Structures are given as structure tokens and as C-alpha cells.
Amino acid sequence: MNADTDRPTFLLVHGSWHGAWCWDHLRAALDADGWRSRTVDLPSANPPAGRHEGARPAGMLDDADVIGDGLRRIDSPVVVIAHSYGGVPTTEAIADAANVVGVVYLAGFQLGVGESMFTSLGTPVPDDGSGHVPPYEDARRILFDDVPEAEADRAVARLRPQSVRSLTERVTTAGWRTVPSSYIVCDRDQALEPSRQRELATRADSVHQLPSSHSPFLSMPRQLATLLGRIATTLPTPRR
């Protein structure tokens, strides 16, 4: 289906260990509904080609720069969808982005100024932040519990280490304070407890639910696309 050019574009921001590949099924569902979408690859889990050995791993602020660049490349209003860790650099990036009309935290970390992933989770900050965190040993169960087996196996095989620096750098500006925000709680999530999601969601302007694991973009992309479309149509129309 041809996308409706009067609608905002979705910018999809993945979480820890993932890449833009995780959005493929959702993008197909959005496209079928007439929505345009773009993605980014966050360098904290996807180091750029040619990066020399010994270079400092990318951090949260580097991820925010990539999101900001992605926003500047979109010549239309944008709704940013931020999954899990992706909510942290998204919060940073949208503060000064004039074309962002809304942000949706999908089981995401909607953090405030001075918070980081580690502080939010109560994880001790390491003295040396130069390393990487591998994916969960039991990623199949924790991240993709309700995803079809073959699809989940493919996803697990594509996960990459996440830089420690991205998990320790603190938010310096909270864009959701000035941009309309929504939160989607994933009720069967085993990576981020639904109770913790509901705490984070108290910062959002609207709260929604899906009966999914941590990865509804793989387990129920059609339902997720429908919900995102419904959220986007409730946002105020920006002036041109």
C-alpha cells in the first residue's frame, strides 16, 4: 500500500544488543496500513565498519547523535518509537528536534535527567566503562518467549554485545517533558518487569498495553502496528 504523505513518519529505535533488522516485520505491517517508517542502527551495539581496535566504544550520547541525525533526514513530522534501552538515547535526542510530534516508549526506559540505564535498574556502575555486555545467556526465553521458534532462533543469532558506556551515561535533557509521550506496557515481559514498566509509564501522557513478551515487533507485529497507528492519529496535527 502507498503510504499516506499527510501522516507522520515513524522512526524506529531498537534496544540493547539489537539492530535495525528487528523492525522488519513491523515495518511491513505499518506499510500495509499506509504508514511510512525509518530505522537507525545504534553504534553502541553496531560499531561502524572501519572502527579501529582500541577505539572507545560508543555511548548513549553517541546513540542520541545518530537518532538526531536520523530525525534531520526526515522531511516531515515524526513519531519516534523507542524500544527498551532505545528509550534512553531517544529521550536525549528528541529534546531539540523540531519535527518530532510524539514519542512512544515500547517497554522502554523513559528516564529523567541524571538517570542512566544502570542507575534506573539499581546496577552498580563499573569503574571501567570501556567493555561490553553480552546478550542474556537465555535470550530466547527472556527476550523472545512468545516469538515463533524459528524466528526467535534467527533473532538470537543476530544479537550483538552492548557497550557498557551506553548503559552508564546519564540523560542530560528529557525530551518527553515537552514532546507528547505514550507508553506501551508489555504484559508478559521477562526482561523488564511489567510493574517497573508501569512505574516508568507514570511519566507518559497516555498508557497502553499489549499481551506480549519484550519483543512484540516479532511476536505480534500486526497488533503493534495497529496500536501505533491509533496512537499516532491522536497526536495534535503540527502546523506547516
Side-chain angles (χ1 to χ4, degrees):
M1 178 182 291
N2 291 327
D4 186 341
T5 56
D6 290 331
R7 292 174 167 182
T9 297
F10 289 113
L11 180 66
L12 310 174
V13 181
H14 64 80
S16 297
W17 309 304
H18 288 67
W21 56 266
C22 72
W23 299 112
D24 289 350
H25 295 316
L26 176 62
R27 295 190 74 190
L30 289 170
D31 182 69
D33 287 345
W35 294 95
R36 295 166 295 169
S37 65
R38 302 277 188 89
T39 61
V40 292
D41 269 317
L42 300 182
S44 58
N46 303 274
R51 175 179 170 272
H52 64 85
E53 188 167 347
R56 186 176 68 165
M60 184 276 290
L61 295 175
D62 297 307
D63 288 341
D65 286 344
V66 168
I67 296 167
D69 184 61
L71 291 170
R72 287 187 289 273
R73 293 172 184 270
I74 301 174
D75 187 22
S76 70
V78 183
V79 177
V80 184
I81 314 303
H83 178 240
S84 196
Y85 158 77
V88 188
T90 292
T91 290
E92 187 79 24
I94 63 175
D96 298 318
N99 60 337
V100 176
V101 296
V103 56
V104 180
Y105 292 87
L106 176 60
F109 285 84
Q110 187 169 355
L111 302 187
V113 172
E115 294 181 303
S116 70
M117 274 282 289
F118 273 18
T119 63
S120 175
L121 294 170
T123 304
V125 177
D127 293 332
D128 180 7
S130 64
H132 289 79
V133 177
Y136 292 112
E137 187 173 337
D138 192 7
R140 170 71 179 85
R141 177 185 62 82
I142 296 174
L143 299 177
F144 310 118
D145 183 56
D146 59 348
V147 177
E149 184 174 0
E151 186 71 44
D153 288 344
R154 284 192 292 269
V156 169
R158 298 188 74 170
L159 298 178
R160 296 292 179 264
Q162 181 76 22
S163 79
V164 171
R165 187 166 161 243
S166 67
L167 307 176
T168 59
E169 285 188 335
R170 297 172 184 259
V171 172
T172 69
T173 180
W176 51 265
R177 291 194 176 278
T178 54
V179 174
S181 64
S182 300
Y183 199 103
I184 299 176
V185 176
C186 295
D187 288 334
R188 292 180 54 191
D189 200 324
Q190 297 185 61
L192 181 58
E193 288 288 338
S195 59
R196 177 59 178 139
Q197 292 181 49
R198 286 189 283 272
E199 290 175 6
L200 291 165
T202 61
R203 293 169 166 173
D205 299 308
S206 66
V207 183
H208 311 265
Q209 291 177 269
L210 281 176
S212 75
S213 70
H214 195 59
S215 307
F217 41 84
L218 293 178
S219 64
M220 48 182 69
R222 163 49 46 206
Q223 294 95 317
L224 178 55
T226 298
L227 177 55
L228 293 177
R230 190 162 72 243
I231 292 171
T233 56
T234 66
L235 294 170
T237 303
R239 295 181 179 180
R240 298 262 183 171

